Amino acid sequence: MRKLVAGKLHGIYVTEANLNYHGSITLDPDHCEEAGILPMEFVEIWNKNSGARISTYVIFGERGSRCCVLNGAAARTCQPGDQVIICNSVYLDESRITSLKPKVLTFDENNNIRDRMSYSVNVDPQGRYTFEIFDEAHVSLPVPLMVSGA
């Protein structure tokens, strides 16, 4: 079994940090449902501003609120206005990797969804893995690569 990306909220903005709540991250159910993130599911959170990395579980906030609230100890790692990446995962037999199509949402500064993408792994005729990113119209997007000399 391999631990693989199942869904991702990429670049969502923290709306509140509540040190006195007893833990977790509060998210808009609309965002979670679209990315395939469940209530009580453990997620990893990566702060783009500070580099902090934490793990906690999801609770659903008010539908349509576009909230992203770090609670309890997690509130010490993120401040309102910080951009974070929230990723859930799934354990899957490697032979099933081509069936996994993680949903990735990106956000504007008001936590409105800007882009809807999906990841796709396939196998080429030589038996090697390939990786593609698709937009919501299933148009292939460029995969970011380091160009030598750049």
Side-chain angles (χ1 to χ4, degrees):
M1 302 295 277
R2 302 282 186 120
K3 185 178 179 181
L4 303 166
V5 172
K8 190 164 64 163
L9 305 178
H10 189 100
I12 193 166
Y13 288 82
V14 174
T15 57
E16 185 180 343
N18 185 348
L19 184 61
N20 296 315
Y21 190 71
H22 47 84
S24 70
I25 183 169
T26 306
L27 295 168
D28 184 325
D30 291 338
H31 293 158
C32 291
E33 289 166 0
E34 194 163 339
I37 298 171
L38 301 172
M40 302 301 295
E41 182 173 16
F42 272 87
V43 292
E44 295 181 48
I45 303 165
W46 307 310
N47 187 322
K48 290 177 70 175
N49 292 61
S50 70
R53 294 173 168 260
I54 62 168
S55 175
T56 192
Y57 62 95
V58 172
I59 60 174
F60 281 179
E62 183 181 338
R63 190 171 294 279
S65 66
R66 301 183 316 275
C67 68
C68 177
V69 182
L70 279 293
N71 300 305
R76 294 231 185 253
T77 67
C78 301
Q79 297 303 308
D82 285 357
Q83 260 192 313
V84 296
I85 300 165
I86 302 166
C87 183
N88 66 340
S89 56
V90 63
Y91 286 94
L92 195 66
D93 185 271
E94 185 175 340
S95 66
R96 295 190 52 223
I97 192 170
T98 58
S99 67
L100 184 64
K101 306 295 181 209
K103 301 290 184 207
V104 179
L105 306 178
T106 66
F107 297 86
D108 69 13
E109 61 279 351
N110 296 310
N111 284 348
N112 294 303
I113 297 170
R114 182 179 346 167
D115 298 302
R116 292 170 171 86
M117 298 173 285
S118 61
Y119 292 160
S120 181
V121 173
N122 288 297
V123 179
D124 71 13
Q126 289 78 37
R128 301 172 299 188
Y129 288 122
T130 63
F131 177 81
E132 290 183 273
I133 302 171
F134 292 99
D135 68 11
E136 61 187 315
H138 204 69
V139 173
S140 183
L141 300 171
V143 175
L145 300 173
M146 167 114 26
V147 179
S148 66

